Amino acid sequence: MRMSGAQIRVEDIEQLSYSVDPWEFRMNQVSRGKFEGVMDLVAVGNILVSWENWSNSIIARGGTPPGYFVLVGHCSGQDLSWCGSRLGQQHLAFATDGREVDFCAPDNEGHWTVLVPRQVIDAQLGDITIDQLLPDVRLLRAGIQPIQELTSVIVETITMARNGRSLLLDPWAAELLQSRLLGAVSRLLLNCSQSQVDKHDSSRRFLAYQRARLYAEQLQAPVSVEVLARELGVSRRTLELGFRESAGVSPQAFLRCARLNGVHRDLLAADPGSCLLYT
């Protein structure tokens, strides 16, 4: 078993989309300014850990990596929104096996992620599978201590990779670090199963936001918020509140940014050397 790490810096939302493999996300930048992203990526055996900081607000939708379960935690800046709910100090984003999710990251937001193969975490949990432990869940609430324990091991892992120590780890040391990560993850999951678990928010406003976003991303011509609300069969107020609560922007701002991102993708497809910056 080995540990390896890398730091990736991107200056464009499309570069970010390509860099988050094995995630499959369609991303849109929704705040002005030149985008900058820094991602520290570390593989400890077959566990993938990342620490990510993005300069601008992003809305994204897509699937989590098949065959893995995913935890995402807040580490700096404002709270990340995951499937319509805000991550707080005691909340973690959660998904398994390629589940469709969406998230909104505000300006200057930072978060960590842990990806563990399903067979690895199920073997760690023993007689119960993760689906039995936490069925149909998108957002977890856990105690401060287990979250701090896992975050501490993640910080140590990232720091070792940044300092180049990943190349010095022998297989035994890498196996010990993987064991510590698995132990911290399993203790946190067991704590969550005994605490209140927040169910996926399927409110009318969140569903309106989801449908409007998907609809707008397919449009070839500009559309007003009034027309969009009428097409979806909801009031303008419902749509406004849905975007404010789930994405932190107005429908008008999202429609504008969706058009700009669409132009950006078209330009890149026509000329990979071109770049459209937000001004």
Side-chain angles (χ1 to χ4, degrees):
M1 180 184 298
R2 292 289 181 183
M3 173 181 170
S4 60
Q7 185 176 87
I8 298 175
R9 293 180 177 270
V10 297
E11 298 180 349
D12 179 83
I13 191 66
E14 292 304 301
Q15 290 179 352
L16 179 64
S17 298
Y18 301 143
S19 300
V20 296
D21 182 74
W23 300 72
E24 294 183 2
F25 273 115
R26 180 186 180 95
M27 296 182 170
N28 285 303
Q29 181 177 330
V30 291
S31 66
R32 297 183 179 186
K34 186 175 185 297
F35 180 82
E36 294 181 354
V38 179
M39 297 179 291
D40 289 283
L41 310 175
V42 184
V44 185
N46 49 16
I47 297 178
L48 305 177
V49 178
S50 70
W51 191 278
E52 306 176 27
N53 290 273
W54 301 335
S55 62
N56 294 80
S57 181
I58 291 172
I59 289 177
R61 64 178 176 85
T64 59
Y68 287 85
F69 98 91
V70 178
L71 285 175
V72 182
H74 169 84
C75 63
S76 66
Q78 300 182 55
D79 293 341
L80 180 79
S81 175
W82 180 266
C83 299
S85 298
R86 295 282 175 180
L87 295 187
Q89 296 301 315
Q90 288 187 257
H91 291 87
L92 298 173
F94 175 84
T96 58
D97 286 332
R99 173 172 285 186
E100 288 291 317
V101 297
D102 63 69
F103 69 83
C104 174
D107 289 345
N108 300 311
E109 185 273 338
H111 59 272
W112 54 257
T113 66
V114 176
L115 277 68
V116 184
R118 280 295 309 271
Q119 66 268 27
V120 172
I121 192 62
D122 284 343
Q124 178 77 10
L125 293 173
D127 295 334
I128 187 170
T129 68
I130 196 168
D131 289 331
Q132 295 169 323
L133 186 69
L134 295 165
D136 192 28
V137 172
R138 299 286 183 93
L139 194 71
L140 304 179
R141 183 162 69 230
I144 290 291
Q145 183 174 347
I147 291 180
Q148 288 180 338
E149 179 191 3
L150 177 56
T151 303
S152 177
V153 181
I154 291 170
V155 169
E156 181 180 345
T157 302
I158 297 296
T159 302
M160 292 171 65
R162 286 176 178 172
N163 294 338
R165 288 183 58 197
S166 58
L167 299 177
L168 303 178
L169 280 180
D170 59 30
W172 179 86
E175 186 172 351
L176 178 61
L177 182 58
Q178 183 190 54
S179 178
R180 291 178 59 203
L181 282 166
L182 280 175
V185 167
S186 60
R187 283 188 289 274
L188 185 143
L189 294 176
L190 291 169
N191 177 270
C192 289
S193 71
Q194 298 166 6
S195 305
Q196 180 180 346
V197 177
D198 294 332
K199 296 292 185 180
H200 172 52
D201 181 6
S202 59
S203 70
R204 180 175 174 81
R205 292 193 296 270
F206 177 63
L207 293 177
Y209 154 74
Q210 282 191 309
R211 292 171 58 207
R213 188 194 59 210
L214 295 174
Y215 185 86
E217 288 176 350
Q218 305 304 316
L219 291 176
Q220 299 299 316
V223 65
S224 68
V225 177
E226 290 79 5
V227 170
L228 185 58
R230 186 166 60 249
E231 288 291 329
L232 299 175
V234 299
S235 69
R236 174 170 178 154
R237 177 172 173 76
T238 295
L239 203 57
E240 291 273 3
L241 289 175
F243 270 87
R244 290 292 184 187
E245 292 171 352
S246 300
V249 298
S250 67
Q252 298 94 323
F254 175 78
L255 289 171
R256 174 182 174 275
C257 292
R259 290 196 298 272
L260 286 175
N261 280 275
V263 172
H264 189 184
R265 281 187 282 269
D266 290 343
L267 286 174
L268 287 176
D271 179 5
S274 66
C275 182
L276 175 67
L277 300 181
Y278 288 77
T279 57

